[in-house]
């Protein structure tokens, strides 16, 4: 069964807490053990030092027996009782002279090995073990020599303490640590559980929203709190949903508009041809209706061609063949192609007497831009009005304006004038052959050249489209 993010995150964090507590416990026990051992060694060392000093001061030579005797032995018993250790005195040969251990004393029948005596002769002897086989358990043992004032070695003082007290100490430490760890682990688990659920909740909401997006429902929006990475992801999903919703609406509108634009001429064509074939349309009027059919076919051809060009631009398949050319010549050629419409409306043409001005762009695509803007201006210019072209170079771009007098556009119309298949109410009466793609294609081509286009208008006075194109470079003259 696949684990959820909550289960994975909770398991990882819980494992980290348990491992951390285990390492902390091991380190604590190690330090506690070392501290206990050093403390015992310090205690035994201080006591055997005092015992050796006392033995040195109370050792007398017995001329009758010919041996050294130590007086004040109860003092050793007092030291042993205070430290709970066995203190025993041995002579220079390792034989026990006196021991504070209760009878029977194992030290009296045991000779200290020479290796231990040699280690204790020059400095303090410290060891953890069975003291050369003397003890059946592990003991801490410390030993020091004691000498006469002349430096003669009298013997040694040893003190031993059972090491099993360390185990008791560590068990108590471990119990306290275990209780504290269990409390910390319980509290951490509760806090981690709720914090993880709170952390994962936005991801669950995003997952549910993504599933709805996949089903085509883009109305869901995520509640965003904070500015962390999860919040940024939520904002990205909301933005994506908004974009997808817009694209979905545009796609539906696109299909509906294309269907409408194709259905109308196809219905007209089918009706006229059927009328000709069945004799409904008399022979003397057939040419008239065939001309109408031809216009409708041309309109459909323009629609298909515009859609193909648009699809290439939006898919990034439209390749630019940029070169430097004079945009003034392109404008003049385009205006001349509208000579009949211009004369029919008695229009005044302004701005064609401009000096040569180069742009670095695709000549064919820019010709389409100028043609669409000019065609649009000629369609909606008022009778006896003017058509004006304005050109200037600014910051590495050529700024081109196409202006016509006439009814102008409202603010609402300006906001949608570059949308696909958008046609204003006025244009539906004046433009019978357009399909509402011309200005959208113009905007797409200008943006493809890294330029910008805008429209400004005063209702009842004029409408002007202004676009920017990369300026071309004049060729350098070669020196003769």
């Amino acid at each position: 069964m696949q684990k959820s993010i909550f289960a994975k995150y909770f398991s990882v964090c819980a494992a980290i807490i348990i491992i951390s507590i285990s390492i902390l416990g091991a380190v604590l026990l190690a330090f506690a053990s070392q501290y206990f051992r050093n403390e015992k060694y310090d205690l035994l060392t201080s006591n055997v030092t005092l015992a050796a000093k006392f033995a040195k001061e109370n050792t007398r030579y017995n001329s009758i027996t010919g041996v050294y005797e130590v007086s004040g032995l109860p003092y050793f018993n007092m030291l042993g009782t205070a430290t709970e250790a066995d203190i025993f005195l041995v002579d220079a040969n390792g034989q026990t002279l006196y021991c504070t251990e209760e009878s029977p004393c194992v030290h009296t029948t045991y000779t200290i090995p020479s290796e231990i005596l040699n280690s204790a002769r020059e400095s303090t002897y410290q060891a953890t073990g069975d003291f050369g086989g003397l003890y059946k358990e592990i003991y801490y043992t410390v030993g020091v020599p004691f000498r006469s004032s002349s430096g003669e070695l009298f013997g040694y003082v040893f003190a031993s303490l059972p090491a099993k007290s360390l185990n008791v100490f560590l068990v108590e430490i471990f119990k306290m640590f275990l209780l504290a760890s269990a409390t910390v682990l319980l509290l951490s688990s509760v806090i981690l559980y709720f914090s993880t659920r709170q952390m994962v909740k936005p991801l669950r909401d995003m997952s549910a929203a993504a599933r709805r997006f996949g089903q085509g429902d883009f109305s869901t929006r995520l509640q965003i709190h904070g500015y962390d990475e999860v919040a940024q992801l939520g904002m990205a999903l909301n933005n994506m949903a908004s974009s997808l919703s817009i694209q979905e609406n545009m796609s539906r509108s696109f299909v509906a508009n294309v269907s409408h634009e194709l259905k109308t001429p196809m219905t007209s064509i089918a009706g006229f041809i059927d009328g000709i074939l069945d004799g409904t349309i008399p022979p003397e009027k057939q040419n008239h209706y065939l001309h109408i059919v031809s216009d409708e076919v041309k309109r459909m051809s323009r629609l298909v061609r515009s859609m193909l060009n648009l699809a290439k631009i939006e898919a990034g398949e439209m390749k630019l063949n940029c070169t430097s050319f004079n945009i003034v010549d392109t404008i003049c050629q385009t205006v001349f192609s509208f000579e009949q419409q211009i004369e029919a409306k008695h229009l005044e043409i302004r701005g064609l007497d401009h000096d040569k001005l180069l742009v670095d762009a695709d000549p064919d695509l820019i010709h389409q831009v100028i043609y669409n803007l000019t065609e649009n201006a000629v369609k909606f210019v008022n009778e006896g009005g003017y058509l004006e072209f304005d050109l200037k170079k600014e910051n590495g771009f050529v700024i081109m304006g196409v202006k016509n007098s006439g009814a102008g556009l409202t603010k609402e119309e300006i906001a949608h004038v570059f949308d696909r298949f958008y046609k204003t109410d006025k244009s539906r009466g004046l433009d019978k052959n357009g399909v509402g793609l011309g200005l959208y294609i113009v905007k797409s081509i200008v943006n493809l050249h890294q330029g910008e286009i805008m429209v400004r208008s005063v209702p009842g006075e004029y409408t002007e489209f202004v676009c920017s194109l990369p300026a071309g470079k004049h060729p350098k003259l070669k020196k003769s």
Side-chain angles (χ1 to χ4, degrees):
M1 182 178 178
Q2 187 177 4
K3 286 187 176 181
S4 63
I5 293 179
F6 171 80
K8 291 179 180 178
Y9 185 81
F10 184 84
S11 300
V12 170
C13 291
I16 292 175
I17 293 174
I18 293 174
I19 292 173
S20 300
I21 290 176
S22 301
I23 294 175
L24 179 63
V27 173
L28 175 63
L29 291 178
F31 275 102
S33 175
Q34 185 65 33
Y35 172 79
F36 183 86
R37 190 179 296 111
N38 292 338
E39 185 183 28
K40 294 303 179 183
Y41 276 133
D42 292 342
L43 178 63
L44 292 175
T45 300
S46 62
N47 279 277
V48 297
T49 302
L50 289 175
K53 181 179 180 182
F54 182 82
K56 176 182 177 181
E57 294 174 350
N58 293 275
T59 299
R60 300 290 183 268
Y61 179 74
N62 191 330
S63 58
I64 300 175
T65 59
V67 296
Y68 288 97
E69 294 179 350
V70 180
S71 60
L73 294 177
Y75 178 79
F76 295 100
N77 292 330
M78 183 181 64
L79 287 177
T81 302
T83 59
E84 298 181 352
D86 297 331
I87 299 177
F88 51 99
L89 281 69
V90 299
D91 59 18
N93 297 320
Q95 295 295 324
T96 301
L97 301 177
Y98 177 75
C99 180
T100 62
E101 185 182 6
E102 296 180 357
S103 180
C105 177
V106 298
H107 303 91
T108 56
T109 59
Y110 179 77
T111 302
I112 307 299
S114 59
E115 295 84 1
I116 297 178
L117 297 178
N118 292 333
S119 299
R121 180 174 294 139
E122 301 299 332
S123 60
T124 303
Y125 168 82
Q126 289 184 353
T128 302
D130 59 0
F131 199 60
L134 173 63
Y135 301 116
K136 295 181 179 180
E137 298 177 358
I138 302 300
Y139 273 71
Y140 302 126
T141 304
V142 175
V144 295
F146 66 96
R147 305 173 184 273
S148 66
S149 57
S150 61
E152 181 182 0
L153 180 64
F154 287 157
Y156 305 89
V157 179
F158 290 95
S160 295
L161 186 66
K164 64 181 181 181
S165 56
L166 172 63
N167 297 332
V168 176
F169 174 76
L170 293 180
V171 168
E172 294 300 322
I173 291 291
F174 182 74
K175 286 181 180 179
M176 290 186 290
F177 177 79
L178 194 62
L179 179 61
S181 299
T183 304
V184 171
L185 186 60
L186 179 61
L187 293 176
S188 300
S189 299
V190 173
I191 295 172
L192 181 61
Y193 176 81
F194 288 103
S195 63
T196 303
R197 282 182 62 88
Q198 188 67 23
M199 186 183 302
V200 173
K201 183 179 180 300
L203 298 179
R204 289 177 174 171
D205 294 340
M206 291 177 195
S207 178
R211 283 195 296 270
R212 288 192 285 270
F213 296 161
Q215 296 170 358
D217 179 13
F218 305 114
S219 61
T220 302
R221 293 295 181 271
L222 297 167
Q223 297 295 326
I224 307 300
H225 304 284
Y227 299 95
D228 57 8
E229 291 81 355
V230 176
Q232 293 174 9
L233 177 59
M235 287 187 285
L237 283 176
N238 284 342
N239 294 335
M240 182 189 73
S242 300
S243 299
L244 290 175
S245 179
I246 294 172
Q247 291 296 327
E248 181 73 11
N249 293 332
M250 290 178 63
S251 298
R252 291 176 181 175
S253 176
F254 180 81
V255 172
N257 288 324
V258 169
S259 300
H260 173 74
E261 295 294 340
L262 289 176
K263 180 181 178 180
T264 302
M266 288 176 67
T267 302
S268 300
I269 291 171
F272 293 143
I273 291 177
D274 289 341
I276 293 173
L277 292 176
D278 62 18
T280 304
I281 299 176
E284 62 272 14
K285 293 185 177 181
Q286 288 180 3
N287 285 337
H288 171 71
Y289 287 104
L290 285 176
H291 281 296
I292 296 177
V293 169
S294 176
D295 291 339
E296 293 294 336
V297 170
K298 291 177 181 177
R299 181 166 174 248
M300 291 175 61
S301 177
R302 287 195 301 272
L303 173 61
V304 172
R305 185 169 58 253
S306 297
M307 289 174 60
L308 289 175
N309 290 337
L310 189 59
K312 287 183 179 180
I313 293 174
E314 292 181 343
E317 298 176 356
M318 181 70 74
K319 295 182 179 179
L320 297 179
N321 297 315
C322 294
T323 184
S324 291
F325 63 94
N326 184 9
I327 195 172
V328 178
D329 291 342
T330 304
I331 293 174
C332 291
Q333 293 171 6
T334 304
V335 172
F336 291 154
S337 66
F338 289 93
E339 183 177 2
Q340 293 182 355
Q341 295 95 315
I342 292 173
E343 291 181 354
K345 288 191 173 183
H346 308 288
L347 303 180
E348 178 188 358
I349 307 300
R350 304 174 182 175
L352 293 183
D353 55 346
H354 200 283
D355 295 334
K356 180 179 181 181
L357 192 57
L358 298 181
V359 294
D360 186 14
D362 187 308
D364 294 334
L365 294 180
I366 298 305
H367 177 268
Q368 185 174 0
V369 168
I370 297 173
Y371 185 91
N372 289 357
L373 292 177
T374 305
E375 181 185 35
N376 196 66
V378 171
K379 283 179 183 178
F380 303 111
V381 69
N382 61 309
E383 185 81 19
Y386 65 88
L387 188 64
E388 181 178 350
F389 295 88
D390 183 33
L391 292 168
K392 61 182 177 180
K393 187 175 180 181
E394 187 177 289
N395 298 326
F397 284 87
V398 171
I399 311 300
M400 179 183 69
V402 181
K403 183 178 181 181
N404 68 287
S405 60
L409 299 171
T410 64
K411 291 183 179 180
E412 292 76 13
E413 292 170 337
I414 290 176
H416 300 284
V417 73
F418 293 110
D419 293 348
R420 287 187 292 189
F421 294 107
Y422 178 77
K423 297 178 73 174
T424 65
D425 293 336
K426 294 190 290 291
S427 67
R428 293 189 185 278
L430 297 172
D431 184 10
K432 302 296 184 181
N433 297 321
V435 295
L437 285 176
L439 292 177
Y440 182 80
I441 292 177
V442 166
K443 184 176 185 298
S444 300
I445 293 175
V446 171
N447 291 341
L448 195 63
H449 285 80
Q450 307 302 318
E452 296 180 355
I453 186 169
M454 59 172 289
V455 59
R456 49 196 177 201
S457 178
V458 176
E461 295 186 15
Y462 71 89
T463 300
E464 182 178 19
F465 289 87
V466 181
C467 65
S468 60
L469 296 170
K473 297 181 180 179
H474 291 274
K476 294 182 179 180
L477 298 177
K478 295 183 179 179
K479 294 182 180 180
S480 57

